């Protein structure tokens, strides 16, 4: 069983509500919920065996088609209705499949779906709609308090429906309850866990004879080799580099201090004074100077990155593994996977696993029954595993059974060795930190500011 | 007396002139006035109140923080940059769009046979959506886009650059698109002004031997002062309020190179869920527009009076 490092429950709840600079609370690692979540001893082995058997049964069921056998066994529902769903364009192709499955189970429920481009063009109009009282019935959210469309913040403000009595809630890992619980209420359905690193075209890597780099110098070498082969190693969204920054920070910030996020919440460290964050930006500058990025990266957004990857002009990009959902359906003859962003040494690599995607239901929904039927449907084991597969991520069931999907094979030794770190957005206090990551990376890579200078933006807006 | 009796009607109109129509009680205007205040000012005033709070745009309550938001605007490098970019962009835009508008108006005022078609052609971008226009230009400006391809084709490879991703050019790329879109509007203002100048004045100057350039400089442009007042005032306000074009082209990037007061207002208010801080930007923008516009109109009106 693995869920990554625990985000403490009650302690974290206090951390999330704490004012910046308030009295420090118990360290994450010292939490009673803490420690690596590996099952040891005789009892543990029995549980592992039982879980493996259960997982095997479930996987056989899941392989019988897009809808799991257990889901198929249910007769189509008589529920009638319609609801609106807003998500971002990166989720469109998987959702096409999932909605089709939902309509097989609920033939009389119409899903009125709208996809908006990711980034600020997604969060701004969506939050404006929610504030104007015109929220969609079901919406894409980020579960932690620091996400762009934070279910934690929206739930606390009474904008989302309490989902704590839904059947899938019991699958939320104990160690991650603080991300989803606001008091005793749950405002987001954790659909899967994603890994932040480097997504890459495995077919192209094989063709070019590239091996997955385990050190930063190896990564730099690949840039030169890719250029010699007439392509570029990476596509970089210079106008929307939030996720790039998160992925690159993992070995540089968290290898030496896995509890950095907690310390930042406690006011013990700052971005600007942490060598790891400065190093992260210097590493990105080194990649820029080694011609790793497709020219024009300065004005590229996530759409441009997708086009460059699908067209084969670049073969890798920094970001969450869930982004593969965007490239894979458009390149059926190729396969995609993700590897952890490398540090100085192979031992610096860490697996950043967390939840950058959840589903919530608006508190103002007039189509509650249909909306809940949808989130519950996606919460079914078969659908949730299918969804995780489509997003190159891990379902909660598979995480519990210790099963690592093929797209995340490069993370396996780190996960098994408990070298995992949570996503910053699951812990950071407000969405402004995540939003400003794009400004910082843009300013530094285009030479407008030096790293330490630019990182001050994150400290100045921390908790605001 | 006799005259009065003989021609009584003569006096009647005089008396009628003195008779005043019964006045409309001021009270009657109250409902309309209240409605106007409610619609135009109360909502704006309520928005201004949030500028002094830390409301995050979603919670039920807001805390009064006094001038903290304004202090942060002054202290934040990004916010100061946004203010500076807004001023830079507006100043350059107003000069270029009015110069282009005046040039088009003078060129298309009378002589050309195809002038009506050309006027429509130059005015067409004004009616297009700014966002849609920005997306089209974004494509043109892309690194592998038509502009760089053209430069490559004519041997100017060294001029190729990521136009929207280069902090030295991005803001000016935004200005180019904005001027392209609204030069037609300035042209309309100046055409209306030119139509009101009697042809005889120009002809008289020509008979007196004034060259074309002297006629434009000494006769036409001074008589265009009222049109210039309207055009400059309007385009200044437009420049300060620029939003869609920036969002469509750069969304404030790269980094914060093209952030303006309006993009900060939106990014802080909605994306970063800092509605109070975003409202402070709105208030700063409103004050800036009011001060600059009023000063500008006073100066231009004074110039009109001198002409």
């Amino acid at each position: 069983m693995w869920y990554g490092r625990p985000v403490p429950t009650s302690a974290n709840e206090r951390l999330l509500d704490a004012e910046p600079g308030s009295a420090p609370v118990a360290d994450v690692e010292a939490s009673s919920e803490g420690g690596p979540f590996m099952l040891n001893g005789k009892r543990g082995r029995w549980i592992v065996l039982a879980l493996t058997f259960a997982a095997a049964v479930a996987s056989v069921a899941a392989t019988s088609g897009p809808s799991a056998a257990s889901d198929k066994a249910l007769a189509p529902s008589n529920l009638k209705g319609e609801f609106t769903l807003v998500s971002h364009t990166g989720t469109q192709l998987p959702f096409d499949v999932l909605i089709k499955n939902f309509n097989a189970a609920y033939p009389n429920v119409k899903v009125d779906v709208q996809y908006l481009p990711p980034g600020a063009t997604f969060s701004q109009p969506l939050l404006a709609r929610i504030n104007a009282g015109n929220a969609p019935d079901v919406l894409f959210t980020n579960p932690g308090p620091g996400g762009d469309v934070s279910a934690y913040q929206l739930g606390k403000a009474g904008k989302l429906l309490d989902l704590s009595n839904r059947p899938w809630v019991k699958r939320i890992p104990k160690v991650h309850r603080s991300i989803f619980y606001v008091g005793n209420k749950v405002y987001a359905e954790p659909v899967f866990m994603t890994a932040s690193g480097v997504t890459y075209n495995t077919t192209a890597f094989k063709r070019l004879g590239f091996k997955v780099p385990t050190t930063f110098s190896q990564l730099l070498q690949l840039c030169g080799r890719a250029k010699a082969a007439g392509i570029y190693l990476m596509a970089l969204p210079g106008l929307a580099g939030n996720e790039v920054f998160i992925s690159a920070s993992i070995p540089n910030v968290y290898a030496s201090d896995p509890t950095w996020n907690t310390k930042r919440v406690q006011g013990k460290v700052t971005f600007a004074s942490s060598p790891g964050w400065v190093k992260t930006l210097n590493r990105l500058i080194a990649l820029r100077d080694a011609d790793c990025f497709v020219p024009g990266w300065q004005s590229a957004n996530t759409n441009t990155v997708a086009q460059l990857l699908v067209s084969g002009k670049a073969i890798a990009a920094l970001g969450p593994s869930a982004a593969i959902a965007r490239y894979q359906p458009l390149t059926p003859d190729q396969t995609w996977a993700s590897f952890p962003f490398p540090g100085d040494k192979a031992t610096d690599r860490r697996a950043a696993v967390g939840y950058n995607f959840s589903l919530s239901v608006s508190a103002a929904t007039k189509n509650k029954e249909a909306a809940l039927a949808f989130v519950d449907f996606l919460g079914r084991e078969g659908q949730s595993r299918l969804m995780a597969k489509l997003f190159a991520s891990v379902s909660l069931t598979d995480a519990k059974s210790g099963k690592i999907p093929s797209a995340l094979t490069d993370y396996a030794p780190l996960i098994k060795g408990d070298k995992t770190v949570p996503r910053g957005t699951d812990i950071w206090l407000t969405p402004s930190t995540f939003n400003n990551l794009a400004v910082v990376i843009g300013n530094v890579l285009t030479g407008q500011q030096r790293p330490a200078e630019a990182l001050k933006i994150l400290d100045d807006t921390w908790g605001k | 007396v006799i005259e009065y009796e003989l021609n009584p009607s003569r006096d009647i109109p005089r008396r009628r002139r003195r008779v005043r129509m019964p006045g409309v009680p001021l009270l009657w205007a109250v409902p309309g006035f209240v409605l106007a205040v409610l619609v135009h000012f109360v909502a704006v005033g309520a928005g201004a109140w949030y500028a002094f709070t830390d409301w995050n745009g979603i919670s039920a309550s807001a805390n009064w923080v006094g001038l903290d938001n304004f202090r942060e605007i002054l202290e934040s490098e990004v916010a100061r940059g946004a203010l500076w970019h807004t001023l830079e962009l507006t100043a350059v835009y107003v000069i270029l769009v009015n110069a282009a508008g005046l040039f088009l108006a003078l060129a298309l005022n009378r002589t050309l046979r195809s002038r009506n078609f050309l006027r429509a052609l130059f005015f067409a971008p004004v009616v297009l959506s700014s966002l849609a226009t920005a997306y089209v230009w974004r494509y043109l400006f892309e690194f592998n886009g038509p502009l760089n391809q053209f430069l490559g084709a004519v041997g100017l490879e060294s001029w190729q650059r990521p136009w929207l991703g280069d902090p030295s050019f991005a803001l000016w790329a935004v200005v180019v698109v904005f001027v392209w879109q609204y030069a037609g509007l300035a042209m309309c203002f100046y055409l209306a002004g030119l139509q009101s100048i009697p042809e005889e004045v120009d002809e008289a100057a020509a008979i007196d031997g004034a060259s074309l350039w002297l006629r434009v400089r000494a006769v036409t442009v001074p008589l265009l002062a009222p049109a210039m007042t309207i055009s400059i005032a309007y385009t200044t306000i437009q420049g300060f309020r620029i939003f869609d074009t920036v969002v469509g082209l750069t969304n404030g990037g790269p980094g914060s190179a093209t952030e303006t007061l309006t993009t900060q207002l939106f990014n802080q208010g909605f994306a970063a869920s800092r509605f109070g801080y975003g409202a402070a930007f709105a208030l700063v923008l409103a004050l800036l527009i009011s001060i600059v516009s009023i000063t500008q109109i006073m100066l231009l009106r004074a110039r009109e009076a001198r002409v």
Side-chain angles (χ1 to χ4, degrees), chain A residues 172-445:
Chain A
I172 297 176
K174 263 188 183 178
V175 288
H176 292 155
R177 277 192 180 164
S178 62
I179 299 172
F180 295 95
Y181 276 82
V182 182
N184 57 357
K185 292 181 174 167
V186 174
Y187 295 110
E189 179 184 23
V191 280
F192 51 71
M193 293 174 79
T194 189
S196 295
V198 183
T199 52
Y200 70 108
N201 183 330
T202 56
T203 315
F205 262 52
K206 267 181 210 154
R207 191 185 67 238
L208 296 164
F210 288 5
K211 277 186 184 165
V212 169
T214 54
T215 64
F216 185 72
S217 56
Q218 289 174 2
L219 182 68
L220 278 179
Q221 281 171 12
L222 287 189
C223 295
R225 288 177 62 193
K227 214 177 161 199
I231 52 165
Y232 286 87
L233 185 69
M234 290 189 194
L236 181 91
L239 291 179
N242 325 53
E243 291 288 355
V244 170
F245 202 4
I246 288 183
S247 298
S249 71
I250 307 302
N252 300 310
V253 176
Y254 302 99
S256 57
D257 190 356
T259 60
W260 189 91
N261 288 330
T262 314
K263 285 182 183 160
R264 184 63 192 89
V265 173
Q266 293 166 345
K268 289 178 179 172
V269 291
T270 63
F271 283 93
S273 66
S274 300
W277 287 100
V278 177
K279 190 175 173 184
T280 302
L281 288 169
N282 283 327
R283 284 287 146 98
L284 290 166
I285 291 171
L287 289 174
R288 177 199 67 188
D289 294 344
D291 275 344
C292 290
F293 308 135
V294 180
W297 55 265
Q298 298 94 328
S299 56
N301 54 25
T302 49
N303 283 337
T304 325
V305 168
Q307 286 162 12
L308 292 169
L309 291 173
V310 169
S311 66
K313 286 177 183 160
I315 51 174
L318 281 113
S321 61
I324 291 173
R326 223 170 167 194
Y327 325 134
Q328 186 65 78
L330 299 171
T331 50
D333 53 336
Q334 294 163 58
T335 56
W336 295 80
S338 175
F339 64 80
F341 189 80
D344 290 333
K345 307 182 292 285
T347 50
D348 285 346
R349 289 174 307 152
R350 293 291 180 277
V353 280
Y355 307 86
N356 72 336
F357 182 0
S358 55
L359 283 173
S360 299
V361 179
S362 164
T365 179
K366 287 178 183 142
N367 307 299
K368 190 174 161 182
E369 226 180 326
L372 286 175
F374 184 70
V375 293
D376 288 349
F377 180 80
L378 294 189
R380 287 184 194 176
E381 219 166 288
Q383 295 307 313
S384 108
R385 298 179 92 186
L386 171 66
M387 194 172 185
K389 192 179 169 191
L390 293 169
F391 279 97
S393 299
V394 193
S395 73
L396 298 187
T397 315
D398 283 345
K400 195 174 178 182
S401 65
K403 192 177 169 192
I404 294 164
S406 58
L408 303 182
T409 309
D410 292 308
Y411 294 85
L414 306 175
I415 289 165
K416 282 172 186 160
D418 190 35
K419 289 189 170 182
T420 59
V421 291
R423 276 175 63 84
T425 52
D426 289 345
I427 297 174
W428 295 343
L429 296 173
T430 59
S432 62
T433 307
F434 177 78
N435 285 313
N436 281 319
L437 293 177
V439 175
V440 171
I441 195 172
N443 278 352
V444 170
L445 290 185

Side-chain angles (χ1 to χ4, degrees), chain A residues 117 120-121 123-125 127-128 130-131 148 150 153-154 156-159 238-239 294-301 304 307-308 313 430-432 435-436 438-443 446-449 453 457 460-461 464, chain B residues 55-60 72 75-78 85 135 138 141-144 161-167 243 247-259 263-264 266-275 277:
Chain A
T121 41
S123 59
Q124 289 165 350
L127 289 171
I130 295 167
N131 286 324
D148 216 6
S150 165
Q153 310 284 4
L154 289 168
K156 241 171 112 174
K159 304 283 183 188
L239 291 179
V294 180
W297 55 265
Q298 298 94 328
S299 56
N301 54 25
T304 325
Q307 286 162 12
L308 292 169
K313 286 177 183 160
T430 59
S432 62
N435 285 313
N436 281 319
V439 175
V440 171
I441 195 172
N443 278 352
T446 56
Q448 297 176 68
Q449 281 186 309
E453 218 173 44
I457 295 172
D460 290 344
T461 52
K464 288 177 178 169
Chain B
W55 194 44
N56 65 4
I58 46 179
S59 64
E72 192 179 336
E75 286 168 1
S76 157
E77 207 170 321
V78 175
H85 298 151
Y135 282 132
R138 190 183 153 75
F141 280 134
E142 268 179 14
F143 190 77
N144 294 316
R161 61 188 70 250
W163 297 98
L164 299 175
D166 187 332
F243 176 68
V247 168
L249 286 169
T250 61
N251 201 27
S256 51
T258 55
E259 285 283 2
T263 56
Q264 273 290 291
F266 198 64
N267 287 336
Q268 296 295 340
F270 295 100
S273 289
R274 300 187 66 198
F275 194 89
Y277 188 46

Side-chain angles (χ1 to χ4, degrees), chain B:
Chain B
V1 176
I2 295 164
E3 198 179 283
Y4 177 74
E5 283 174 348
L6 286 174
N7 195 4
S9 61
R10 210 180 133 192
D11 204 32
I12 292 166
R14 234 180 259 163
R15 250 190 285 159
R16 273 188 188 155
R17 272 200 299 273
R18 281 198 298 270
V19 172
R20 297 175 65 186
M21 287 292 287
V24 178
L26 270 178
L27 211 60
W28 287 17
V30 169
F33 179 73
V34 170
L35 195 68
V37 168
L38 281 176
V39 171
H40 287 289
F41 302 107
V42 170
V44 177
W49 179 80
Y50 284 108
F52 300 91
T53 70
D54 66 351
W55 194 44
N56 65 4
I58 46 179
S59 64
S61 61
N63 300 311
W64 181 263
V65 294
L67 295 172
D68 282 4
N69 288 330
F70 298 95
R71 206 169 292 130
E72 192 179 336
I73 289 176
L74 292 176
E75 286 168 1
S76 157
E77 207 170 321
V78 175
R80 283 203 311 271
L83 179 62
W84 177 242
H85 298 151
T86 306
L87 293 171
E88 256 184 318
L89 194 147
T90 306
V92 177
Y93 166 68
V94 169
I95 292 167
L96 292 182
V97 82
N98 280 284
L102 182 60
F103 174 77
L104 289 173
L106 288 169
L108 302 177
N109 186 30
R110 289 195 186 110
T111 46
L112 281 174
R113 286 184 72 185
S114 57
R115 62 183 181 274
N116 287 334
F117 170 73
L118 289 171
R119 283 175 191 172
L121 200 69
F122 284 112
F123 186 75
V126 179
V127 299
L128 299 175
S129 148
S130 299
L131 201 58
T133 309
Y135 282 132
V136 172
W137 275 91
R138 190 183 153 75
Y139 165 71
L140 296 176
F141 280 134
E142 268 179 14
F143 190 77
N144 294 316
L147 179 59
N148 277 343
Q149 279 177 13
F150 169 76
L151 290 172
V154 296
L156 293 170
E157 284 90 354
S158 60
W159 287 25
Q160 290 177 332
R161 61 188 70 250
W163 297 98
L164 299 175
D166 187 332
S168 334
F169 287 92
L171 194 68
W172 309 124
V174 172
V175 173
V176 166
V177 176
F178 209 37
V179 169
W180 171 83
Q181 183 162 24
Y182 290 105
L185 187 65
M187 175 192 77
C188 278
F189 289 133
Y190 289 116
L191 270 177
L194 286 170
Q195 304 288 316
S196 66
I197 298 174
E199 275 184 53
E200 296 79 13
V201 181
D202 191 48
E203 283 169 8
I207 290 166
D208 287 346
S211 64
L212 180 68
W213 169 240
L214 186 66
R215 268 155 40 214
V216 169
R217 193 166 56 86
V219 178
T220 312
V221 171
L223 289 173
L224 273 178
M228 213 169 268
T229 303
I230 294 169
S231 184
I232 291 177
Y234 184 80
T235 50
T236 302
I237 294 169
Q238 219 185 9
F240 279 123
R241 289 169 48 196
I242 185 170
F243 176 68
D244 305 22
T245 311
V246 181
V247 168
L249 286 169
T250 61
N251 201 27
S256 51
T258 55
E259 285 283 2
T260 62
L261 290 175
T262 49
T263 56
Q264 273 290 291
L265 185 167
F266 198 64
N267 287 336
Q268 296 295 340
F270 295 100
S273 289
R274 300 187 66 198
F275 194 89
Y277 188 46
F281 276 102
L283 208 57
V284 168
L285 183 63
L287 283 173
L288 196 65
I289 290 176
S290 306
I291 292 166
V292 173
S293 302
I294 291 168
T295 312
Q296 204 177 44
I297 287 171
M298 280 167 67
L299 290 172
L300 289 167
R301 289 278 184 224
R303 182 175 165 272
E304 270 179 50
R306 281 202 303 278
V307 172

